[in-house]
Amino acid sequence: MAASPSLREWQQAALERFDATTSENFLVTATPGAGKTTFALEAARRIRPRVRAILIVVPTSNLRTQWARAAHTFGLDIDDRFSADAATLARDFDGAAVTYQAVMSNPLIYRRLADRAFVILDEIHHAGENRSWGDKLRQACDPATRRLLLSGTPFRSDNNPIPYVSYARDHDGIHRSQADYTYGYGDGVKDSVVRPIAFPAFDGHGTWSDAGTVVNGPLSNEDETQAKRALKAALNPNGEWIGSVMRAADGELTRQREHTPDAGGLIVADNQEHARQYAELLEQIAGEKVAVAISDEPDASEVIRTYAQARNRWIIAVQMVSEGVDIPRLAVGVYASRTTTALFFRQVAGRFVRTRSEDDETCAALYVPSIAALLKNAAEMEIELDHALAEASEQYERDYSDGESGSLFSMVDPISSSAATHDKTILSGEDFTSAEIERARTVAAQVNLTKLSDAEMARLLRHVSPNDTTEAAPSPSSAEAAQTRSERKTGLRKAVQRKVSRLARHTGRPHNHIHAELNRACSEQSIDKATVDTLQRRIQFLDRHLGEPQ
């Protein structure tokens, strides 16, 4: 049996739990870039002598090849061209990599392949997109000896239970998915397994025609409908907003390339026409050809593969680089999509978190429009989001990236947009104002710390003593005093959630059981009803159980 690559601490811990568990299904949620593929293939290598074959189910066709190449390093030969027409697997293969779409199209063929096999279901949330997909996946994969479920992004919030995922009612009475092992983005940043991401947010005004009336409004409008309309105008390739954001992002990429000469940038466009027009605009800004990978182009997958190995600056895509694609040199991005769901946002952000070496200390930057939904997604990057089965009466998250016929946008036409203005930058849930960012640039230049991003420098200045810089920086105590009670409670809740996740990993106890124990200890119904005092008590309780100093 071939030797496996060295494992990270979390991968080894997850494998130990996997080996110790007898359940047919094992769900691992781990942040993009943490090494889910390595974990899964080491599990496959160990179990291979006890199963007839290995079946890997992935969201897209190009991921079949990625999995097959990775499996080869584990001594596993995976057929990434298997089709239902073949019916059976050739004897010299250990297994096959196929897409969810293929399995749904012919579940009985894949049922024969899954019989007494080890099945890996990559990005399992795809199987919950509609009930018929879930039913067909079960039809195909039920005969498997064991199933390993993987997810790197939060699940959809809808009423479709995801096949083979266990659910339990939480302290608020909501049925939530129960992972067997969780390794979140916050854990990965702390362990230097993934890069931190800064989110520079840019405001601006959009102008649009609404049933013949010309309307103007900011992206940061508290009215969600008006903000969405302003965003549509801002993303118009003919307006000023998108061009000014591209110039800011290209400037950041130039800074990153001073230290990492092949650092690359990605723009995620709203649609294919925007992608083509953005490419023309960006070529004028960057002074070089821009790669464009869109599904209408037959060589789109090859464009991505070529860009991943090249040194050119930018690539533009719509959704082809949103999940599973591995381009470690990506360091700067522009989120130019109207899709505001946490699922899609984290898929895009996941393209920038991969480290290139053990000593990679760079901070990625993803430029975002300053609308409430996206800022919320950025601020919550370190919070684990389980799949919640929605009640039938709930209002589900809407995705505005496609089809507007009959919607509130059907009579709305974008006209123009103003230049973008920096609103704030978010890093690890902290907001940094334009003034803090400007001060960070000045001090970084003075002390020659240009390798740090603006947000990293701003955070350093916020938390050091006044004597450490040429200007006075607020101390943590004064920063805390300046917070509103709501802001302080939000920070404390995040701390509780992170510590609960760590305790769950250490003990194997479900999150909801730990939360229930905290509720009993603090005589409360839920964390949402907690006061500042009882939130601090929860943290002290968790620290005692984690063995951390008080």
Side-chain angles (χ1 to χ4, degrees), residues 130-372:
N130 62 63
R131 194 171 295 277
S132 65
W133 271 43
D135 292 342
K136 289 179 179 178
L137 188 69
R138 287 186 180 279
Q139 186 179 13
C141 297
D142 274 356
T145 298
R146 202 162 187 200
R147 291 169 287 268
L148 175 59
L149 288 55
L150 305 174
S151 183
T153 53
F155 294 131
R156 300 164 58 96
S157 292
D158 55 29
N159 237 7
N160 298 319
I162 299 170
Y164 306 120
V165 171
S166 299
Y167 293 85
R169 193 179 294 274
D170 68 7
H171 55 282
D172 290 324
I174 298 173
H175 283 91
R176 294 191 182 276
S177 60
Q178 302 294 295
D180 296 282
Y181 194 91
T182 299
Y183 188 77
Y185 172 69
D187 301 312
V189 171
K190 176 174 62 68
D191 295 342
S192 299
V193 168
V194 296
R195 293 172 180 162
I197 305 180
F199 298 93
F202 280 75
D203 203 355
H205 280 70
T207 303
W208 62 91
S209 174
D210 186 356
T213 302
V214 176
V215 183
N216 180 281
L219 292 170
S220 55
N221 199 315
E222 292 183 1
D223 184 305
E224 182 181 358
T225 298
Q226 297 301 309
K228 293 279 190 179
R229 290 171 173 174
L231 178 60
K232 183 177 182 181
L235 298 182
N236 186 338
N238 298 317
E240 292 185 53
W241 188 91
I242 189 63
S244 52
V245 172
M246 285 183 187
R247 282 188 287 275
D250 190 63
E252 169 63 16
L253 183 58
T254 295
R255 186 192 70 79
Q256 295 250 12
R257 286 169 76 98
E258 291 176 1
H259 308 285
T260 310
D262 67 339
L266 164 68
I267 294 179
V268 177
D270 197 47
N271 55 61
Q272 297 191 15
E273 182 57 33
H274 278 190
R276 295 186 181 96
Q277 291 179 270
Y278 288 170
E280 295 178 6
L281 178 59
L282 189 55
E283 285 171 5
Q284 296 175 16
I285 294 170
E288 67 174 49
K289 188 73 174 175
V290 172
V292 179
I294 54 180
S295 57
D296 277 359
E297 302 295 339
D299 62 343
S301 294
E302 183 58 35
V303 169
I304 294 172
R305 282 193 290 270
T306 299
Y307 176 83
Q309 302 300 321
R311 298 174 67 88
N312 52 315
R313 295 171 73 90
W314 287 97
I315 185 171
I316 299 178
V318 179
Q319 293 196 13
M320 290 194 67
V321 192
S322 65
E323 185 176 61
V325 175
D326 187 5
I327 309 176
R329 72 186 188 95
L330 287 178
V332 178
V334 176
Y335 193 94
S337 171
R338 285 178 293 144
T339 303
T340 59
T341 61
L343 172 63
F344 185 72
F345 184 86
R346 292 202 188 190
Q347 287 173 348
V348 172
R351 301 315 100 212
F352 301 92
V353 303
R354 297 179 187 275
T355 56
R356 305 183 71 177
S357 64
E358 290 185 1
D359 58 354
D360 184 355
E361 297 178 349
T362 58
C363 177
L366 178 57
Y367 288 69
V368 299
S370 189
I371 66 170

Side-chain angles (χ1 to χ4, degrees), residues 103-115:
V103 173
M104 305 314 160
S105 300
N106 205 331
L108 292 180
I109 289 292
Y110 293 98
R111 183 182 179 88
R112 290 200 289 271
L113 192 59
D115 184 32

